[in-house]
Amino acid sequence: NAGVTQTPKFQVLKTGQSMTLQCAQDMNHEYMSWYRQDPGMGLRLIHYSVGAGITDQGEVPNGYNVSRSTTEDFPLRLLSAAPSQTSVYFCASRPGTSFTQYFGPGTRLTVL
Amino acid sequence: GQNIDQPTEMTATEGAIVQINCTYQTSGFNGLFWYQQHAGEAPTFLSYNVLDGLEEKGRFSSFLSRSKGYSYLLLKELQMKDSASYLCAVREFYNQGGKLIFGQGTELSVKP
């Protein structure tokens, strides 16, 4: 199993550009989440999904959209990038039978 | 609301024991996690406590007191590779799936 994969690893955007961060898992996990990590702030939940077709907002959802059309994929869309969205983004998944989350390697995003 | 506090940084000597504390205030508490995160990498699961008491796993132990809103992670026989950030996270019972709320992390430096 590849586990949780994220692409790209690094990305630089200009203010106002849009892009999609990709996340995929091959463990058939029901639950998937997106976090951002900023210095001194810890990991903060952006959006999460409890299964295909079901998503909900976390702590900091503004400026981000998600969808979950399949169990495997959970893309995060930045509609109009802002410098405040410069961060490291982690995708995570877990099975319905466990509370332990497995994290992807992260995407380092810089918005100029 | 929720609040999780842990020290920002700690320093310890190789071979010693170190205790990293975490205090929390949250509604609907449903378990506490400790994750380890090396610089530039994804968080990896260390331990999960849902009942009061001590959970031991090799050199690492985690303790929980729900009545005091308090947990600690104990690392024994410290090794240089234990230099990392240690994240305390509380799971809240929240609609579907539960949410993980993370503390800002404790940066541990192990010196020779």
Side-chain angles (χ1 to χ4, degrees), chain A residues 2-97:
Chain A
V4 181
T5 58
Q6 292 183 238
T7 56
K9 288 192 187 321
F10 301 94
Q11 183 70 49
V12 178
L13 291 177
K14 294 181 179 178
T15 296
Q17 286 184 312
S18 62
M19 80 157 295
T20 300
L21 307 187
Q22 301 292 345
C23 174
Q25 51 90 12
D26 61 358
M27 299 174 281
N28 201 33
H29 287 173
E30 292 95 322
Y31 298 93
M32 297 186 74
S33 304
W34 275 104
Y35 294 87
R36 60 177 289 173
Q37 187 172 38
D38 303 292
M41 302 284 290
L43 284 155
R44 291 182 292 169
L45 183 65
I46 304 172
H47 286 285
Y48 68 99
S49 169
V50 299
I54 306 170
T55 64
D56 205 348
Q57 296 181 349
E59 299 172 74
V60 288
N62 292 341
Y64 307 96
N65 275 358
V66 292
S67 59
R68 184 98 180 269
S69 55
T70 67
T71 300
E72 294 78 19
D73 299 298
F74 191 43
L76 179 72
R77 297 183 187 85
L78 280 70
L79 308 173
S80 177
S84 61
Q85 293 179 304
T86 293
S87 187
V88 181
Y89 291 85
F90 288 101
C91 179
S93 74
R94 70 171 178 89
T97 54

